[in-house]
Amino acid sequence: MKRPGLTGTLTGAMLTAFWVLLVSAPACAAPRNTTTMAKPKVDLRQHPTGGTTPVDVAVGLYVTNFVGIDETRESFEVGGYLTAKWLDPRLALPTDATAAPETRTFRLDQLWTPSIESANSISHKTSQSLLTADRNGLVTYIERFDANLSSDFNLRKFPFDTQDLRFQFHPFISAASEFRFAPQPLPSTGISPEQHTELAAWHIQDLRYRTEKVADDRDIPPTSGAEFQIRVIRRSGFYVWKIFVPLLMLTMIPMVAFWIDVSQFDWILKIPMTMLLSMVAFEFAIARDLPRVGYLTFLDVVFLASFAFCFLCIFEIAAVFLLQQHGKRALAVTLHTKGKWAYPLAYFGLIATLAIGFLA
């Protein structure tokens, strides 16, 4: 056999070396790549501090429209803007990032947002919302809303009452330790000066803000809450002219009976009886517009006083008639004559006393 030449030997050796390098290249390159692996991305949907430190959240309320206040159901409807701001250091841009925009817009599912809920909301509709962050990582959330809320009405002075309409915001149970409300509201808090904001039956006075500690419950941990209070004063002119004045006139009409001789029993008895029935019909007519509460309001006690005086007038007429029937006409006439002034003075004196007790 022929022995291979030198050229063939060198060619075989070169092919073998090339094959070895080709097979071993990935194994040799792997250690170099492990030192240059990219860092994992930060999940911006998680709490900025991992839940170790609560985030301070400042909130603001700007009312643009009052739809109505229903004291019979103890609720009110309002529209406006809700604003919340908090700092997320993860969104801060480097100082050399001059090409980045001043404000960046995000979707709600892209960032961590505080879980705020309305404690006294009956219904809440968000028509528009915006979530932005500036170069320093300050996150701003704004929403346009229409809401129906319940509130505790103190109607003892009705219809000369003043009410505090409340917006109560609390953290959701699972987020109670993740954030806390700032002690001061945002500068955007206020009430629109436009005419459509006002209500015909109410005068809007001011808007106040406070933070409060929500009492802990057996199943709910203690947490902080924020509350906006809108003070409104009832315009009582409608009730004065449509209820109080007619009611006082109906109560004064029985006074005519004291100017008629006690012998005319049939005639004088018809006057207070007719007015008493008129008061009952009058109260039924306005009952649907009155608050249904389990305590007496000022309007209630005025009605009761008017009913009582009509009843006393009927009782007085029956008493003096019986005195006359038993031969004591002189005493009957004396008592009946004194009622001309005693009746109105006692009635208006009682109304004044009730006004001091209820409205003072």
Side-chain angles (χ1 to χ4, degrees):
M1 292 178 64
K2 287 187 179 181
R3 302 174 67 182
L6 181 60
T7 302
T9 303
L10 291 175
T11 301
M14 292 177 63
L15 290 174
T16 303
F18 177 75
W19 177 255
V20 172
L21 290 174
L22 185 63
V23 174
S24 60
C28 297
R32 296 195 205 102
N33 290 340
T34 56
T35 60
T36 59
M37 289 179 63
K39 295 181 179 180
K41 292 184 178 180
V42 177
D43 188 358
L44 298 177
R45 296 172 298 179
Q46 300 296 323
H47 192 271
T49 64
T52 57
T53 305
V55 176
D56 288 328
V57 178
V59 292
L61 172 67
Y62 188 75
V63 177
T64 58
N65 185 30
F66 265 100
V67 181
I69 300 175
D70 189 353
E71 63 271 14
T72 60
R73 299 177 57 189
E74 293 192 324
S75 64
F76 64 98
E77 296 182 54
V78 68
Y81 292 90
L82 285 174
T83 307
K85 290 189 177 185
W86 64 93
L87 188 64
D88 192 337
R90 301 171 300 177
L91 298 175
L93 297 176
T95 55
D96 56 350
T98 56
E102 292 293 329
T103 303
R104 293 155 290 164
T105 304
F106 298 89
R107 298 191 310 270
L108 288 175
D109 59 353
Q110 290 180 307
L111 299 181
W112 174 88
T113 55
S115 299
I116 301 175
E117 63 177 8
S118 177
N120 61 328
S121 177
I122 300 175
S123 63
H124 186 100
K125 178 182 178 182
T126 301
S127 55
Q128 298 287 340
S129 63
L130 179 65
L131 183 64
T132 60
D134 63 8
R135 300 179 62 89
N136 298 321
L138 181 63
V139 184
T140 302
Y141 172 75
I142 303 175
E143 76 167 33
R144 175 71 174 87
F145 75 95
D146 294 286
N148 185 10
L149 303 104
S150 63
S151 187
D152 183 20
F153 284 70
N154 184 2
L155 298 169
R156 189 170 183 269
K157 297 181 179 181
F158 176 84
F160 304 99
D161 52 320
T162 299
Q163 303 296 335
D164 289 326
L165 308 179
R166 292 179 169 85
F167 293 78
Q168 296 176 329
F169 298 106
H170 297 166
F172 189 66
I173 299 176
S174 60
S177 61
E178 293 184 356
F179 69 94
R180 61 193 173 196
F181 291 100
Q184 298 297 327
L186 291 173
S188 58
T189 298
I191 301 174
S192 173
E194 299 294 333
Q195 293 183 352
H196 60 264
T197 306
E198 286 279 353
L199 292 174
W202 297 87
H203 169 66
I204 304 173
Q205 189 175 29
D206 58 10
L207 173 62
R208 293 172 293 173
Y209 170 84
R210 68 169 185 171
T211 56
E212 59 179 359
K213 183 179 179 181
V214 181
D216 54 342
D217 193 80
R218 182 174 58 184
D219 300 322
I220 302 176
T223 183
S224 64
E227 181 178 275
F228 291 94
Q229 294 182 356
I230 301 177
R231 172 152 291 189
V232 293
I233 301 174
R234 189 188 302 274
R235 303 181 193 270
S236 56
F238 170 83
Y239 298 93
V240 171
W241 299 112
K242 298 298 179 64
I243 296 180
F244 279 99
V245 172
L247 181 61
L248 294 180
M249 293 176 65
L250 290 175
T251 310
M252 285 295 99
I253 290 177
M255 186 178 63
V256 178
F258 297 103
W259 297 81
I260 303 175
D261 190 82
V262 294
S263 61
Q264 305 294 325
F265 177 74
D266 292 340
W267 284 101
I268 60 179
L269 186 62
K270 291 178 181 178
I271 297 174
M273 288 292 295
T274 303
M275 293 303 103
L276 188 61
L277 295 176
S278 299
M279 288 182 190
V280 173
F282 184 53
E283 185 181 29
F284 273 110
I286 65 173
R288 70 176 70 181
D289 297 321
L290 300 181
R292 296 173 176 82
V293 294
Y295 51 88
L296 292 177
T297 66
F298 178 65
L299 181 59
D300 293 332
V301 296
V302 172
F303 258 108
L304 290 175
S306 301
F307 280 123
F309 267 76
C310 276
F311 172 77
L312 291 175
C313 184
I314 296 173
F315 182 79
E316 188 273 345
I317 293 172
V320 296
F321 178 75
L322 291 176
L323 288 175
Q324 178 178 303
Q325 290 293 99
H326 289 80
K328 299 180 180 180
R329 176 176 172 78
L331 178 60
V333 171
T334 302
L335 294 176
H336 198 62
T337 303
K338 289 182 178 180
K340 298 177 182 179
W341 310 110
Y343 182 88
L345 291 177
Y347 178 71
F348 285 110
L350 178 60
I351 296 299
T353 303
L354 293 175
I356 294 174
F358 276 77
L359 305 180

